[in-house]
Amino acid sequence: MLRPRYTSLIALLTLLPLGAAASQTATDRHIDSLLAAMTLEEKLGQLNLLSAGGKASPEQTALVRRGLVGGLFNVIGTENTRAVDRVATTESRLKIPLLFGLDVIHGFRTIFPIPLAEAGTFDPELAEATARAAGREAAAAGINWTYAPMVDIARDPRWGRIAEGSGEDTYLGSLFAAARVRGFQESILATVKHFAAYGAAEGGRDYNSADISPRTLREVYLPPFKAAVDAGVATLMSAFNDIGGVPASGNAWLTDTLLRREWRFNGMVVSDWTSVAELIPHGIAGSREEAGRRALTAGVDMDMQSSIYVETLAPLVQSGRIPMAVVDEAVRRVLRAKARAAALKPVAPNAVEHRALARRAARESIVLLKNDRSLLPLDRATPVIAVIGPLADNQLDPLGPWHTDGKPEDVVTVLQGIKTRVPSGTQVLYAQGAGIEDPSTAGFVEAVAAAQRAKVAILVLGERHDMSGEAASRAYLGLPGVQQQLLEAVAATGTPIVLVLMNGRPLILEWAAEHVPAIVEDWYLGVESGNATAEVLFGEVNPSGRLPVTFPRAMGQIPLYYNHRNTGRPPAADKFTSKYIDAPVTPRYPFGYGLSYTTFAYRDLKLSAARIGPSDSLRITVTVANTGTREGTEVVQLYVRDEVGSVARPVRELKGFRRITLKPGESRPVELRLAARDLAFYGLDMRSAVEAGTFRVFVGPNSMEGLEATFEVAYP
Ligand code: BGC
């Protein structure tokens, strides 16, 4: 018989604010008492996570009543979450509240730029603010748990999910990971995902195997997860992929040895969507119960959508094949997450503020890729402007691949943004020209005619929102459909062209890069898409976004990333060096790259010491001048290269950056700090250490330029 004090966990949990060690212990004590009162079936029920279609189905509600569901996701709206939570907290035997999950990735109702775009702001505080806003809106709709941030490093633009993360760089990705965790967790629990190396899918094909060295795993793919753990992330999601034959959702080394023992993560691990059942097709389990046993004993606490734990594991626990202690520990983690969710104090969302924040984020995310002879910014009083392309007046696609509760009607299109900014004397001609993937060229005539009449043609081209994101790998990275032909047909009119791109990944843009005078990378900017774009086109805003990922010149160059190793035969004139016989090795646009309407010059790079010890740090100063005629923001980037190590080190690694805004003619010293411990890497013995030796420092505007200096690290 249950003692009354176990009957209302919800009251109990809300009474126990998290954070103070004493309350933490008290929560744990209560959780232990609750565990003692649970049947095995109820325990496995807490580990069961099901997706609903907007609201819980009658069948799901019945399972909740029986205590066989620990959480639901995709239940949206407080009416719906409350209705089923009421069943859990009043009609189930133990009255344990549910977790309500949702993929709140780059906004809930107010849709912000996609995470990849936002990483290009090099402004983690901004990402913290947008995550906070998204968390507040989601919490107001009954959600207490998001499946974000996605922190997978992605070096392969074929992989559609590159849109959801922070790009190719580990340092930048780690800062954004921690910032987003802090932002979300004001109001809802965050989930860092997908653990691990999901972004290393071979061939950029989603769900594919990753086979990377332990060193690359540790140095490149894992640090953003560690940063999220250190920032206090409540939950972590195990990935779909295998790493060298061991699927991440049944990998005890990953989710137990590394995560829990080495990193001391004490939160909950949730599987990805049916990734427990997928251990069968992976080929490491011959049955559902075996798949469940592998996953649970590896440390995957909650089973998303497979229903394997709740339906098949009881006999294995009863027969001792799965120790009860393993089940209890998983349940404890789920209940702790619930206690943590109950202790959150969400702040009410402010739609007006969020909209303003969306504008700021959109402005800062835009990257100016090319601007020959200063075609941009445009004069608003240009008598006739043609606006062309399938994304020019499109309200759906700027929302990006995950737009949760975002509404197309909230989106300002580029055409609308332009129209509201031009004086009455300016004529804006619009022609869609083509569809995104549609093979028809019937609309070209109208588009060409509009361009012929105009002084400038703005083409808004790119991908449909669902051409990136999950299950959206592409083998060809040009403009889809007949958009390339449309671009060439419009360019043939001789009217100067501005190409505005909307896409969730780097595209291969060789023709445009050579023939189009101005290129603006919008990514997917969310609801303020058209306003921010028009502000940039007309020069109200000077673009300051930088590429968080390399743009290749050719498919065959992929994977192409800035922090590669040098090889024994770095590319040179000699034939027998590491290169292609039919394409350059250099990127079209490198990591960190982005232009401004002004120009910046770097001088006087100085280091505070020529030699430092392993626990010292270095002050690096450089003077940056705005040498143009407009105010502008520069992202000053610091890279290092370890000349000689026990293992070969990358040719450059980002170690710091600073956004600075300078008036025309203004120059300012910028200081960046580099601690010797930031130079640590996994040496021959696979221990992370700082090795003595000479390091090169580069400070400049992107990963291929900059001033250089050297210093030494010496042990006393
Ligand atoms: C995705 C996850 C997502 C989950 C729940 C999966 O298919 O890989 O990123 O959080 O679905 O929607």
Side-chain angles (χ1 to χ4, degrees):
M1 194 49 201
L2 259 192
R3 280 172 290 170
R5 68 176 232 260
Y6 304 129
T7 55
S8 184
L9 188 73
I10 191 163
L12 177 92
L13 297 177
T14 5
L15 281 174
L16 294 169
L18 202 93
S23 346
Q24 181 69 65
T25 324
T27 308
D28 283 347
R29 263 204 314 272
H30 285 289
I31 286 173
D32 281 343
S33 330
L34 189 62
L35 258 172
M38 291 170 97
T39 64
L40 176 56
E41 213 190 14
E42 285 164 338
K43 288 180 184 175
L44 294 171
Q46 284 304 307
L47 311 183
N48 189 27
L49 173 65
L50 297 176
S51 171
K55 61 182 192 181
S57 68
E59 298 74 31
Q60 289 173 334
T61 308
L63 289 174
V64 168
R65 190 171 289 115
R66 289 172 55 203
L68 299 183
V69 177
L72 289 168
F73 63 115
N74 297 327
V75 179
I76 308 177
T78 45
E79 208 180 299
N80 294 330
T81 53
R82 278 190 199 135
V84 61
D85 207 37
R86 199 173 309 117
V87 174
T89 56
T90 62
E91 297 176 31
S92 77
R93 193 178 76 96
L94 295 174
K95 309 195 170 7
I96 302 176
L98 295 167
L99 280 173
F100 289 102
L102 190 71
D103 290 282
V104 181
I105 310 292
H106 53 106
F108 177 77
R109 173 70 196 253
T110 308
I111 302 300
F112 299 102
I114 57 169
L116 183 65
E118 213 177 49
T121 64
F122 280 65
D123 189 351
E125 275 169 31
L126 174 70
E128 182 170 341
T130 61
R132 193 183 305 119
R136 290 178 184 181
E137 290 186 6
I143 304 303
N144 56 17
W145 184 25
T146 178
Y147 304 133
M150 191 279 225
V151 305
D152 298 310
I153 295 298
R155 293 172 156 182
D156 192 327
R158 290 172 294 187
W159 192 54
R161 303 202 78 170
I162 196 170
E164 299 174 51
S166 296
E168 75 188 33
D169 185 64
T170 304
Y171 173 77
L172 187 66
S174 300
L175 292 177
F176 274 79
R180 290 186 171 124
V181 166
R182 287 193 298 270
F184 284 127
Q185 290 198 157
E186 176 201 64
S187 300
I188 56 180
L189 305 182
T191 308
V192 64
K193 71 185 189 184
H194 307 81
F195 198 59
Y198 182 39
E202 281 179 5
R205 183 157 55 83
D206 209 1
Y207 317 119
N208 204 3
S209 300
D211 208 336
I212 50 177
S213 70
R215 179 170 293 109
T216 298
L217 181 67
R218 290 243 185 208
E219 285 181 0
V220 177
Y221 291 91
L222 294 178
F225 289 94
K226 176 69 164 51
V229 167
D230 292 345
V233 73
T235 79
L236 172 144
M237 187 183 290
S238 65
F240 287 123
N241 58 286
D242 73 277
I243 306 176
V246 189
S249 293
N251 185 332
W253 181 80
L254 266 184
T255 37
D256 191 54
T257 311
L258 178 78
L259 181 66
R260 295 213 163 97
R261 292 172 208 272
E262 194 179 316
W263 291 359
R264 309 232 161 263
F265 174 66
N266 59 13
M268 177 187 92
V269 175
V270 60
S271 81
D272 203 344
W273 182 294
T274 64
S275 68
V276 174
E278 289 165 29
L279 299 183
I280 301 171
H282 265 295
I284 67 155
S287 63
R288 279 167 57 79
E289 43 273 60
E290 186 49 19
R293 193 188 67 79
R294 282 289 296 253
L296 184 62
T297 56
V300 177
D301 304 314
M302 233 184 174
D303 169 10
M304 182 195 282
Q305 273 305 86
S306 298
S307 296
I308 284 185
Y309 289 4
V310 74
E311 286 173 8
T312 74
L313 293 190
L316 274 72
V317 180
Q318 276 146 357
S319 69
R321 287 198 59 220
I322 298 177
M324 184 64 91
V326 169
V327 177
D328 285 351
E329 202 41 47
V331 175
R332 232 177 241 121
R333 292 187 196 117
V334 172
L335 296 179
R336 266 192 234 125
K338 291 186 176 187
R340 201 166 163 180
L344 291 167
K345 301 215 167 18
V347 174
N350 179 327
V352 175
E353 272 174 23
H354 294 182
R355 189 86 202 189
L357 182 62
R359 173 85 68 99
R360 188 186 138 208
R363 285 173 180 155
E364 287 188 22
S365 297
I366 295 173
V367 188
L368 180 63
L369 294 177
K370 189 177 174 193
N371 192 19
D372 276 2
R373 277 174 266 115
S374 300
L375 175 59
L376 290 174
L378 302 174
D379 182 353
R380 281 160 208 270
T382 306
V384 188
I385 299 176
V387 182
I388 297 169
L391 289 150
D393 196 28
N394 176 317
Q395 288 185 297
L396 173 64
D397 294 303
L399 291 173
W402 283 109
H403 47 259
T404 328
D405 201 34
K407 309 263 184 277
E409 61 266 30
D410 291 348
V411 173
V412 176
T413 70
V414 173
L415 180 65
Q416 291 164 349
I418 289 172
K419 279 190 168 166
T420 54
R421 279 173 179 75
V422 293
S424 53
T426 295
Q427 224 191 325
V428 179
L429 307 173
Y430 166 67
Q432 188 184 316
I436 293 174
E437 279 195 295
D438 187 345
S440 168
T441 55
F444 283 22
V445 180
E446 194 196 352
V448 166
Q452 275 162 343
R453 287 180 50 202
K455 280 262 178 254
V456 63
I458 299 165
L459 272 98
V460 191
L461 306 180
E463 300 178 299
R464 234 187 15 244
H465 71 282
D466 57 356
M467 294 179 77
S468 57
E470 189 175 352
S473 296
R474 292 183 66 202
Y476 299 97
L477 297 184
L479 291 166
V482 293
Q483 295 181 78
Q484 179 65 34
Q485 289 99 299
L486 174 66
L487 176 64
E488 291 180 27
V490 173
T493 62
T495 303
I497 287 184
V498 178
L499 172 60
V500 175
L501 293 162
M502 292 190 188
N503 45 297
R505 55 155 63 77
L507 295 175
I508 292 178
L509 301 162
E510 287 307 276
W511 190 90
E514 269 152 33
H515 297 94
V516 173
I519 307 179
V520 174
E521 178 56 84
D522 259 12
W523 309 107
Y524 298 118
L525 293 176
V527 288
E528 284 291 323
S529 184
N531 283 328
T533 307
E535 286 174 330
V536 164
L537 294 176
F538 293 123
E540 278 166 62
V541 166
N542 190 350
S544 61
R546 301 292 183 262
L547 293 180
V549 65
T550 301
F551 273 50
R553 294 173 189 269
M555 292 297 299
Q557 293 181 311
I558 297 170
L560 187 68
Y561 47 91
Y562 85 94
N563 48 354
H564 58 85
R565 297 191 185 91
N566 199 39
T567 81
R569 292 189 178 196
D574 183 39
K575 177 172 188 337
F576 296 96
T577 57
S578 181
K579 59 188 183 184
Y580 301 100
I581 57 171
D582 54 359
V585 282
T586 53
R588 170 50 72 179
Y589 301 116
F591 174 86
Y593 170 84
L595 302 173
S596 161
Y597 294 150
T598 189
T599 45
F600 299 99
Y602 287 70
R603 61 181 151 82
D604 299 336
L605 175 62
K606 289 198 191 92
L607 310 187
S608 58
R611 171 187 281 227
I612 57 171
S615 22
D616 300 340
S617 63
L618 204 58
R619 262 179 300 112
I620 298 165
T621 48
V622 69
T623 301
V624 183
N626 180 342
T627 48
T629 53
R630 283 170 181 267
E631 180 174 300
T633 299
E634 171 71 330
V635 179
V636 180
Q637 301 166 37
L638 165 69
Y639 297 87
V640 296
R641 174 169 181 174
D642 186 344
E643 296 265 281
V644 180
S646 63
V647 297
R649 302 300 303 151
V651 295
R652 274 196 186 201
E653 288 178 278
L654 184 69
K655 293 290 179 189
F657 55 82
R658 179 74 61 78
R659 281 174 62 91
I660 53 156
T661 301
L662 296 175
K663 298 213 172 345
E666 186 184 352
S667 66
R668 201 186 302 158
V670 175
E671 185 180 299
L672 294 144
R673 280 197 168 254
L674 181 67
R677 65 168 181 281
D678 299 337
L679 305 167
F681 64 91
Y682 288 84
L684 267 186
D685 57 0
M686 279 304 287
R687 280 175 213 276
S688 178
V690 182
E691 292 186 2
T694 305
F695 292 79
R696 272 156 80 183
V697 177
F698 309 83
V699 180
N702 62 59
S703 60
M704 287 181 78
E705 294 174 66
L707 302 178
E708 260 190 74
T710 57
F711 70 96
E712 258 177 67
V713 173
Y715 278 78

